[in-house]
Amino acid sequence: MFNLMIRICLLLGVCSTLQAKDIIHTEKSLYRNISVVKEDSLLCLVFETRKDNPPYQTCVDETDKKRLVFSYTKLVLSGLLYKPEADHILVIGLGGGTLPMTLKELLPEAKITSVEIDPSVTKIARQYFDYQEDDRIDTVTQDGRLFIKRAALNNKQYDWIILDAFNGDYIPEHLMTQEFLQEVKQVLTDDGIVTANTFSESKLYAYESATYQSVFGDFYNVKRRNTGNRIVLATNNKSLKPLPVIKQNAEKWQTAFDVFGVDSDWIYHRFTPEKDWDENSEILTDQYAPVNLLKND
């Protein structure tokens, strides 16, 4: 079976960077080459890219499946420190389905909609990563921007929108622009929040920051220094909740977070309102979204 997998991945062109891993599954979808690999106790989803070492999109620790492996996934839970209750959650980008399944347990009353453009990703999430839909979790196979446009036309609104779509190299450029974020804002409730998974070390850092500020005003950066992880936490309100309130919420969430191996105080200390970018940076628009800046040297 393993030799068969090697032959398949050679045909798909994904073996060059994955030969050292135990390849569990490979397939070529409409959008990308996808692999599921095993490394020690971790089972991981990989989107093939032009990079020598493509980043893992999702990992599950098979010895403790609820434990959140990635820092960025933990940082997304900053949304709960800012807004402890949410009835309707929208997740753009599925990966292995870790976030919807975690939020389902943390928020027992919430309805969660996951939007994923690639049906192969959804299929793999179900087959390998225990992603399960039910009356509280729904999956829509559609481009995230198209979904939000249609949601606005149908007057749908969400308390919390999580932007977590990646194509393997970076965020799809049409999900980074001012026009897109304005559409996102249209489907937010009055006290709704957005948590967007981006990178603090990207050449687009200042452009992205200026773009979010142009739509939402001041926002919190939630990030780890000296890593690539950065969550933009923006709100539909003109003023941000003060840090002491967020700290109080962190203390309330700690027991629930323990199940997932998450330290809520660690997340709290990643919050900063600091504007550490050039506020005169150009705003990303549908006409100006420089793809050449998506990759670092």
Side-chain angles (χ1 to χ4, degrees):
M1 176 61 71
F2 182 75
N3 288 335
L4 176 61
M5 286 296 181
I6 291 292
R7 288 199 295 272
I8 291 172
C9 79
L10 283 169
L11 288 172
L12 295 179
V14 301
C15 280
S16 58
T17 57
L18 300 179
Q19 287 178 353
K21 312 295 189 301
D22 187 358
I23 302 169
I24 305 300
H25 175 85
T26 61
E27 70 176 82
K28 185 176 180 66
S29 77
L30 291 171
Y31 299 94
R32 55 180 69 90
N33 296 326
I34 306 173
S35 297
V36 179
V37 302
K38 181 77 178 294
E39 186 173 3
D40 298 324
S41 66
L42 297 181
L43 189 67
C44 301
L45 178 68
V46 184
F47 295 163
E48 180 71 0
T49 71
R50 290 162 290 186
K51 299 177 181 177
D52 290 337
N53 294 296
Y56 292 164
Q57 305 301 315
T58 296
C59 284
V60 171
D61 185 345
E62 294 191 306
T63 66
D64 184 0
K65 290 190 174 183
K66 288 188 178 182
R67 180 177 75 85
L68 297 183
V69 174
F70 291 145
S71 293
Y72 90 83
T73 314
K74 299 173 184 178
L75 291 176
V76 170
L77 297 184
S78 58
L80 293 176
L81 274 60
Y82 191 92
K83 183 178 176 61
E85 297 180 359
D87 295 323
H88 295 91
I89 301 172
L90 176 62
V91 183
I92 304 295
L94 180 65
T98 300
L99 275 171
M101 297 301 291
T102 300
L103 293 174
K104 176 187 174 183
E105 189 163 338
L106 289 170
L107 295 168
E109 303 300 321
K111 302 286 187 179
I112 303 165
T113 301
S114 302
V115 180
E116 171 56 51
I117 194 172
D118 191 340
S120 292
V121 171
T122 304
K123 179 192 71 175
I124 289 171
R126 293 170 181 148
Q127 183 174 355
Y128 292 99
F129 297 95
D130 297 329
Y131 177 66
Q132 299 175 5
E133 294 100 330
D134 54 25
D135 59 343
R136 292 183 47 223
I137 292 184
D138 183 35
T139 308
V140 178
T141 303
Q142 196 170 85
D143 175 79
R145 185 161 183 179
L146 179 59
F147 178 91
I148 284 178
K149 283 179 179 289
R150 290 179 175 175
L153 290 173
N154 291 316
N155 297 315
K156 291 185 178 180
Q157 290 198 310
Y158 300 91
D159 306 298
W160 183 6
I161 298 177
I162 299 171
L163 303 179
D164 191 29
F166 280 79
N167 58 22
D169 286 312
Y170 203 66
I171 304 165
E173 60 183 282
H174 69 299
L175 303 183
M176 302 170 64
T177 67
Q178 183 183 57
E179 292 90 340
F180 169 66
L181 294 179
Q182 288 167 340
E183 292 162 1
V184 168
K185 190 172 184 179
Q186 284 186 325
V187 296
L188 273 182
T189 58
D190 289 343
D191 63 345
I193 64 169
V194 174
T195 51
N197 180 24
T198 73
F199 288 125
S200 59
E201 295 178 354
S202 166
K203 289 183 178 179
L204 283 171
Y205 181 85
Y207 298 83
E208 288 176 314
S209 300
T211 304
Y212 273 89
Q213 187 178 38
S214 74
V215 175
F216 295 102
D218 292 343
F219 59 83
Y220 277 116
N221 266 322
V222 188
K223 63 181 182 178
R224 290 189 66 187
R225 297 190 183 276
N226 303 319
T227 71
N229 301 124
R230 190 265 283 250
I231 301 297
V232 172
L233 195 158
T235 78
N236 217 0
N237 293 322
K238 293 183 179 179
S239 59
L240 295 172
K241 288 182 181 178
L243 286 171
V245 173
I246 296 171
K247 182 174 178 59
Q248 290 175 0
N249 290 335
E251 293 169 354
K252 294 175 183 177
W253 273 111
Q254 185 54 66
T255 300
F257 282 8
D258 283 340
V259 177
F260 303 95
V262 176
D263 182 346
S264 62
D265 189 61
W266 175 85
I267 297 175
Y268 163 71
H269 282 99
R270 309 279 82 74
F271 273 79
T272 175
E274 177 187 0
K275 297 177 182 178
D276 58 354
W277 67 87
D278 182 356
E279 294 186 66
N280 294 318
S281 298
E282 283 197 73
I283 291 169
L284 300 173
T285 68
D286 288 344
Q287 284 71 43
Y288 180 74
V291 177
N292 61 302
L293 292 180
L294 288 175
K295 299 186 296 300
N296 294 322
D297 289 334

